[in-house]
mmCIF file of all heavy atoms in Angstrom:
data_model
loop_
_atom_site.group_PDB
_atom_site.id
_atom_site.type_symbol
_atom_site.label_atom_id
_atom_site.label_comp_id
_atom_site.label_asym_id
_atom_site.label_seq_id
_atom_site.Cartn_x
_atom_site.Cartn_y
_atom_site.Cartn_z
ATOM 1 N N ARG U 77 -220.221 107.532 33.235
ATOM 2 C CA ARG U 77 -219.958 108.207 34.551
ATOM 3 C C ARG U 77 -220.767 107.676 35.650
ATOM 4 O O ARG U 77 -220.307 107.628 36.768
ATOM 5 C CB ARG U 77 -220.034 109.771 34.331
ATOM 6 C CG ARG U 77 -219.686 110.579 35.588
ATOM 7 C CD ARG U 77 -219.823 112.081 35.383
ATOM 8 N NE ARG U 77 -221.212 112.426 35.100
ATOM 9 C CZ ARG U 77 -221.709 112.876 33.930
ATOM 10 N NH1 ARG U 77 -220.943 112.996 32.884
ATOM 11 N NH2 ARG U 77 -223.001 113.146 33.779
ATOM 12 N N THR U 78 -221.975 107.323 35.376
ATOM 13 C CA THR U 78 -222.938 106.883 36.343
ATOM 14 C C THR U 78 -223.024 105.377 36.486
ATOM 15 O O THR U 78 -223.865 104.807 37.261
ATOM 16 C CB THR U 78 -224.352 107.465 36.045
ATOM 17 O OG1 THR U 78 -224.816 106.951 34.814
ATOM 18 C CG2 THR U 78 -224.434 108.992 36.057
ATOM 19 N N ARG U 79 -222.236 104.689 35.617
ATOM 20 C CA ARG U 79 -222.363 103.225 35.515
ATOM 21 C C ARG U 79 -222.310 102.431 36.822
ATOM 22 O O ARG U 79 -223.074 101.657 37.102
ATOM 23 C CB ARG U 79 -221.291 102.682 34.546
ATOM 24 C CG ARG U 79 -221.289 101.165 34.352
ATOM 25 C CD ARG U 79 -222.577 100.731 33.602
ATOM 26 N NE ARG U 79 -222.500 99.318 33.564
ATOM 27 C CZ ARG U 79 -223.692 98.667 33.780
ATOM 28 N NH1 ARG U 79 -224.815 99.178 34.098
ATOM 29 N NH2 ARG U 79 -223.676 97.338 33.721
ATOM 30 N N LEU U 80 -221.196 102.694 37.591
ATOM 31 C CA LEU U 80 -220.989 101.870 38.799
ATOM 32 C C LEU U 80 -222.028 102.139 39.907
ATOM 33 O O LEU U 80 -222.651 101.137 40.448
ATOM 34 C CB LEU U 80 -219.621 102.145 39.458
ATOM 35 C CG LEU U 80 -219.259 101.336 40.640
ATOM 36 C CD1 LEU U 80 -219.398 99.733 40.334
ATOM 37 C CD2 LEU U 80 -217.856 101.682 41.145
ATOM 38 N N ASP U 81 -222.465 103.436 39.999
ATOM 39 C CA ASP U 81 -223.534 103.766 40.964
ATOM 40 C C ASP U 81 -224.772 103.076 40.588
ATOM 41 O O ASP U 81 -225.630 102.743 41.391
ATOM 42 C CB ASP U 81 -223.656 105.229 41.115
ATOM 43 C CG ASP U 81 -222.613 105.822 42.133
ATOM 44 O OD1 ASP U 81 -221.956 105.161 42.886
ATOM 45 O OD2 ASP U 81 -222.493 107.109 41.969
ATOM 46 N N THR U 82 -225.068 103.056 39.250
ATOM 47 C CA THR U 82 -226.398 102.527 38.764
ATOM 48 C C THR U 82 -226.312 101.069 39.004
ATOM 49 O O THR U 82 -227.269 100.510 39.490
ATOM 50 C CB THR U 82 -226.559 102.847 37.206
ATOM 51 O OG1 THR U 82 -226.507 104.247 37.046
ATOM 52 C CG2 THR U 82 -227.864 102.233 36.712
ATOM 53 N N LEU U 83 -225.264 100.374 38.666
ATOM 54 C CA LEU U 83 -225.131 98.911 38.880
ATOM 55 C C LEU U 83 -225.265 98.597 40.348
ATOM 56 O O LEU U 83 -226.036 97.598 40.656
ATOM 57 C CB LEU U 83 -223.752 98.455 38.368
ATOM 58 C CG LEU U 83 -223.438 97.011 38.634
ATOM 59 C CD1 LEU U 83 -224.400 96.129 37.802
ATOM 60 C CD2 LEU U 83 -222.010 96.699 38.150
ATOM 61 N N ARG U 84 -224.616 99.345 41.216
ATOM 62 C CA ARG U 84 -224.683 98.978 42.711
ATOM 63 C C ARG U 84 -225.915 99.420 43.326
ATOM 64 O O ARG U 84 -226.296 98.732 44.334
ATOM 65 C CB ARG U 84 -223.428 99.604 43.316
ATOM 66 C CG ARG U 84 -222.090 99.040 42.867
ATOM 67 C CD ARG U 84 -220.880 99.599 43.530
ATOM 68 N NE ARG U 84 -221.028 99.268 45.006
ATOM 69 C CZ ARG U 84 -220.554 99.993 45.938
ATOM 70 N NH1 ARG U 84 -219.940 101.174 45.637
ATOM 71 N NH2 ARG U 84 -220.599 99.552 47.201
ATOM 72 N N HIS U 85 -226.494 100.499 42.940
ATOM 73 C CA HIS U 85 -227.501 101.154 43.884
ATOM 74 C C HIS U 85 -228.818 101.429 43.283
ATOM 75 O O HIS U 85 -229.847 101.772 43.973
ATOM 76 C CB HIS U 85 -226.937 102.382 44.580
ATOM 77 C CG HIS U 85 -225.726 102.079 45.217
ATOM 78 N ND1 HIS U 85 -225.661 101.343 46.262
ATOM 79 C CD2 HIS U 85 -224.488 102.619 44.978
ATOM 80 C CE1 HIS U 85 -224.271 101.229 46.743
ATOM 81 N NE2 HIS U 85 -223.581 102.116 45.958
ATOM 82 N N ALA U 86 -228.999 101.376 41.950
ATOM 83 C CA ALA U 86 -230.286 101.865 41.308
ATOM 84 C C ALA U 86 -231.301 100.700 41.432
ATOM 85 O O ALA U 86 -231.009 99.552 41.471
ATOM 86 C CB ALA U 86 -230.045 102.176 39.898
ATOM 87 N N ALA U 87 -232.480 101.041 41.266
ATOM 88 C CA ALA U 87 -233.642 100.064 41.227
ATOM 89 C C ALA U 87 -233.465 99.237 39.936
ATOM 90 O O ALA U 87 -232.896 99.694 38.983
ATOM 91 C CB ALA U 87 -235.033 100.902 41.171
ATOM 92 N N ASP U 88 -234.101 98.126 40.024
ATOM 93 C CA ASP U 88 -233.935 97.174 38.809
ATOM 94 C C ASP U 88 -234.409 97.912 37.554
ATOM 95 O O ASP U 88 -233.767 97.680 36.455
ATOM 96 C CB ASP U 88 -234.802 95.938 39.120
ATOM 97 C CG ASP U 88 -234.230 95.074 40.095
ATOM 98 O OD1 ASP U 88 -233.007 95.217 40.530
ATOM 99 O OD2 ASP U 88 -234.904 94.078 40.596
ATOM 100 N N ALA U 89 -235.529 98.573 37.570
ATOM 101 C CA ALA U 89 -236.019 99.277 36.345
ATOM 102 C C ALA U 89 -235.054 100.235 35.845
ATOM 103 O O ALA U 89 -234.769 100.367 34.655
ATOM 104 C CB ALA U 89 -237.327 99.918 36.699
ATOM 105 N N ALA U 90 -234.332 100.973 36.803
ATOM 106 C CA ALA U 90 -233.378 101.980 36.330
ATOM 107 C C ALA U 90 -232.160 101.312 35.684
ATOM 108 O O ALA U 90 -231.589 101.781 34.719
ATOM 109 C CB ALA U 90 -232.993 102.891 37.502
ATOM 110 N N LEU U 91 -231.778 100.248 36.345
ATOM 111 C CA LEU U 91 -230.624 99.456 35.874
ATOM 112 C C LEU U 91 -230.938 98.932 34.431
ATOM 113 O O LEU U 91 -230.071 99.035 33.497
ATOM 114 C CB LEU U 91 -230.250 98.393 36.791
ATOM 115 C CG LEU U 91 -229.034 97.425 36.293
ATOM 116 C CD1 LEU U 91 -227.714 98.311 36.052
ATOM 117 C CD2 LEU U 91 -228.791 96.388 37.343
ATOM 118 N N ALA U 92 -232.105 98.421 34.257
ATOM 119 C CA ALA U 92 -232.461 97.919 32.969
ATOM 120 C C ALA U 92 -232.458 99.004 31.942
ATOM 121 O O ALA U 92 -232.051 98.780 30.779
ATOM 122 C CB ALA U 92 -233.866 97.139 33.004
ATOM 123 N N THR U 93 -233.026 100.127 32.244
ATOM 124 C CA THR U 93 -232.964 101.272 31.323
ATOM 125 C C THR U 93 -231.552 101.688 30.956
ATOM 126 O O THR U 93 -231.203 101.951 29.818
ATOM 127 C CB THR U 93 -233.737 102.495 31.921
ATOM 128 O OG1 THR U 93 -235.107 102.000 32.101
ATOM 129 C CG2 THR U 93 -233.798 103.623 30.962
ATOM 130 N N HIS U 94 -230.701 101.694 32.001
ATOM 131 C CA HIS U 94 -229.342 102.121 31.770
ATOM 132 C C HIS U 94 -228.597 101.109 30.842
ATOM 133 O O HIS U 94 -227.880 101.597 29.932
ATOM 134 C CB HIS U 94 -228.598 102.140 33.172
ATOM 135 C CG HIS U 94 -227.322 102.813 33.214
ATOM 136 N ND1 HIS U 94 -226.087 102.245 32.872
ATOM 137 C CD2 HIS U 94 -226.951 104.110 33.621
ATOM 138 C CE1 HIS U 94 -225.151 103.129 33.031
ATOM 139 N NE2 HIS U 94 -225.650 104.194 33.440
ATOM 140 N N LEU U 95 -228.838 99.808 31.084
ATOM 141 C CA LEU U 95 -228.212 98.808 30.222
ATOM 142 C C LEU U 95 -228.687 98.929 28.786
ATOM 143 O O LEU U 95 -227.946 98.848 27.843
ATOM 144 C CB LEU U 95 -228.578 97.418 30.744
ATOM 145 C CG LEU U 95 -227.938 97.030 32.094
ATOM 146 C CD1 LEU U 95 -228.583 95.660 32.572
ATOM 147 C CD2 LEU U 95 -226.419 96.772 31.897
ATOM 148 N N ARG U 96 -230.008 99.141 28.609
ATOM 149 C CA ARG U 96 -230.593 99.272 27.228
ATOM 150 C C ARG U 96 -230.033 100.522 26.491
ATOM 151 O O ARG U 96 -229.583 100.396 25.418
ATOM 152 C CB ARG U 96 -232.137 99.336 27.350
ATOM 153 C CG ARG U 96 -232.710 99.484 25.916
ATOM 154 C CD ARG U 96 -234.106 100.071 25.983
ATOM 155 N NE ARG U 96 -234.302 101.267 26.875
ATOM 156 C CZ ARG U 96 -233.843 102.460 26.420
ATOM 157 N NH1 ARG U 96 -233.389 102.592 25.237
ATOM 158 N NH2 ARG U 96 -233.967 103.524 27.336
ATOM 159 N N ARG U 97 -230.048 101.614 27.249
ATOM 160 C CA ARG U 97 -229.556 102.827 26.642
ATOM 161 C C ARG U 97 -228.027 102.775 26.297
ATOM 162 O O ARG U 97 -227.602 103.278 25.264
ATOM 163 C CB ARG U 97 -229.884 104.051 27.581
ATOM 164 C CG ARG U 97 -229.568 105.414 27.040
ATOM 165 C CD ARG U 97 -230.500 105.694 25.835
ATOM 166 N NE ARG U 97 -230.324 107.050 25.336
ATOM 167 C CZ ARG U 97 -230.649 107.481 24.176
ATOM 168 N NH1 ARG U 97 -231.382 106.711 23.414
ATOM 169 N NH2 ARG U 97 -230.427 108.679 23.871
ATOM 170 N N THR U 98 -227.250 102.239 27.207
ATOM 171 C CA THR U 98 -225.867 101.996 26.921
ATOM 172 C C THR U 98 -225.656 101.199 25.660
ATOM 173 O O THR U 98 -224.819 101.610 24.819
ATOM 174 C CB THR U 98 -225.101 101.350 28.125
ATOM 175 O OG1 THR U 98 -225.283 102.285 29.268
ATOM 176 C CG2 THR U 98 -223.667 101.295 27.859
ATOM 177 N N ALA U 99 -226.293 100.087 25.522
ATOM 178 C CA ALA U 99 -226.193 99.223 24.361
ATOM 179 C C ALA U 99 -226.625 100.016 23.031
ATOM 180 O O ALA U 99 -225.924 99.861 22.048
ATOM 181 C CB ALA U 99 -227.102 98.043 24.559
ATOM 182 N N GLU U 100 -227.705 100.812 23.155
ATOM 183 C CA GLU U 100 -228.093 101.573 21.977
ATOM 184 C C GLU U 100 -227.020 102.514 21.523
ATOM 185 O O GLU U 100 -226.692 102.655 20.344
ATOM 186 C CB GLU U 100 -229.419 102.350 22.326
ATOM 187 C CG GLU U 100 -230.657 101.490 22.499
ATOM 188 C CD GLU U 100 -231.899 102.349 22.846
ATOM 189 O OE1 GLU U 100 -231.707 103.553 23.041
ATOM 190 O OE2 GLU U 100 -232.914 101.789 22.837
ATOM 191 N N LEU U 101 -226.535 103.286 22.550
ATOM 192 C CA LEU U 101 -225.532 104.337 22.248
ATOM 193 C C LEU U 101 -224.210 103.766 21.741
ATOM 194 O O LEU U 101 -223.645 104.211 20.761
ATOM 195 C CB LEU U 101 -225.350 105.255 23.369
ATOM 196 C CG LEU U 101 -226.605 106.152 23.793
ATOM 197 C CD1 LEU U 101 -226.435 106.775 25.136
ATOM 198 C CD2 LEU U 101 -226.842 107.134 22.746
ATOM 199 N N GLU U 102 -223.778 102.693 22.362
ATOM 200 C CA GLU U 102 -222.485 102.039 21.948
ATOM 201 C C GLU U 102 -222.682 101.415 20.649
ATOM 202 O O GLU U 102 -221.726 101.474 19.773
ATOM 203 C CB GLU U 102 -222.080 101.099 23.000
ATOM 204 C CG GLU U 102 -221.549 101.736 24.265
ATOM 205 C CD GLU U 102 -221.092 100.801 25.392
ATOM 206 O OE1 GLU U 102 -221.308 99.571 25.214
ATOM 207 O OE2 GLU U 102 -220.466 101.276 26.394
ATOM 208 N N THR U 103 -223.747 100.810 20.276
ATOM 209 C CA THR U 103 -224.015 100.197 19.012
ATOM 210 C C THR U 103 -223.979 101.274 17.914
ATOM 211 O O THR U 103 -223.343 101.127 16.794
ATOM 212 C CB THR U 103 -225.345 99.442 18.914
ATOM 213 O OG1 THR U 103 -225.256 98.362 19.897
ATOM 214 C CG2 THR U 103 -225.678 98.912 17.598
#
Side-chain angles (χ1 to χ4, degrees):
R77 185 179 61 249
T78 62
R79 178 71 183 136
L80 184 58
D81 281 343
T82 303
L83 175 64
R84 293 183 64 211
H85 306 295
D88 289 349
L91 178 58
T93 298
H94 196 276
L95 291 167
R96 180 202 47 79
R97 188 65 175 164
T98 300
E100 288 176 355
L101 293 168
E102 288 179 349
T103 298

